[in-house]
């Protein structure tokens, strides 16, 4: 597509529930990144995919967070047993390589855990 | 590890006045530097980037930034701002090995008043 698409744009859930957030990157972009932006802060790196594999997941806060990219295009960020502290905007970005090419960000998915 | 400090959380300025948004970083290795802008309810958009070469970098919308290695700074400037420049601005740093894995500052809110 023309840009990075993220769905849903808004998600409200209850504490303890399971949530999936989807990212559809720019067609042909091999690198895909997930970031989390809490209120009043800058984005924080979560995980990076090169193709289908997670090349760097050092930013995932704990084992409740997991992400997949089975066919090297669309990615899903999965959060189990959500907690109120998970409330944030989850940003997805893609680029054409892991080198000096810059990121194109989606508009984000705002997650609110009640 | 690398870190980014945006020295001003909020910068109010009158229309047509010059503005400087300050950014300092720390890193033990060579870095790439970026400025992003985030308009309300929109994704991050790249303003400009420093990868190598000339330390004065020009970006979109009339913005420019200067990389100062000795002062580890990458301040953003615009000689004359418009109402439409009102937004959140983020400075980010990444290592050359993976330019997409960036560390962001906490942002500076630029408010342009008539």
């Amino acid at each position: 597509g023309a840009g990075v698409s993220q769905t849903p744009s808004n998600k409200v859930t209850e504490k303890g529930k399971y949530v999936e957030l989807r990212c559809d990157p720019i067609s042909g972009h091999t690198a895909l990144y997930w970031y989390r932006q809490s209120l009043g802060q800058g984005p924080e790196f979560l995980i990076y995919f090169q193709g289908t594999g997670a090349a760097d997941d050092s930013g995932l806060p704990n084992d409740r967070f997991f992400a997949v990219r089975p066919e090297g295009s669309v990615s899903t960020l999965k959060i189990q047993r959500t907690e109120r502290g998970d409330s944030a905007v989850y940003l997805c970005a893609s680029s054409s390589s892991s080198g000096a090419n810059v990121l194109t960000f989606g508009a984000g998915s705002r997650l609110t855990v009640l | 590890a690398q870190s980014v400090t945006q020295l001003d959380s909020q910068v109010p300025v009158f229309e047509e006045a010059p503005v400087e948004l300050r950014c300092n970083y720390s890193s033990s290795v060579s870095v790439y530097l970026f400025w992003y802008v985030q308009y309300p309810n929109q994704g991050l958009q790249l303003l400009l980037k420093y990868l190598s070469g000339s330390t004065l970098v020009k970006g979109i919308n009339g913005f420019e930034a200067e990389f100062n290695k000795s002062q580890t700074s990458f301040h953003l400037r615009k000689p004359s701002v418009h109402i439409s420049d009102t937004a959140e601005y983020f400075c980010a740093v990444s290592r050359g090995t993976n330019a997409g894995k960036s560390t962001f500052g906490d942002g500076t809110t630029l408010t342009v008043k008539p």
Side-chain angles (χ1 to χ4, degrees), chain A residues 36 61-62 64-65 79-90 111-113:
Chain A
R36 178 170 71 174
N62 52 60
R64 295 187 297 106
F65 288 74
I79 310 174
Q80 298 178 320
R81 305 183 304 280
T82 52
E83 299 178 356
R84 291 193 180 87
D86 299 335
S87 296
V89 177
Y90 290 82
L111 174 65
T112 302
V113 182

Side-chain angles (χ1 to χ4, degrees), chain A residues 33 35 37 40-45 48 56 58 91 95 98-108 110, chain B residues 32 34 36 38 41-46 49 51 88 90 96-107:
Chain A
Y33 299 78
Y35 282 80
Q37 186 175 16
Q41 298 181 16
E44 293 180 290
F45 170 80
Y48 152 61
D56 184 344
S58 61
L91 300 170
S95 74
S98 64
N101 289 349
V102 299
L103 301 178
T104 300
F105 280 87
R110 180 178 299 277
Chain B
Y32 295 158
F34 307 85
Y36 290 88
Q38 188 173 38
N41 301 315
Q42 294 187 28
L44 288 160
Q45 179 183 359
L46 181 70
K49 61 184 185 289
L51 304 179
E88 187 86 11
F90 292 94
T97 51
N98 185 349
K101 182 182 178 182
S102 295
T103 300
F104 284 79
D106 284 337

Side-chain angles (χ1 to χ4, degrees), chain B residues 1-2 4 6 17 23 34 37 40 43 52 56 70 75 84-85 94 99-100 102:
Chain B
Q2 54 213 21
V4 177
Q6 292 186 240
C23 172
F34 307 85
V37 61
S52 64
L56 183 62
S70 63
H75 301 332
S84 60
D85 292 323
S94 66
S102 295

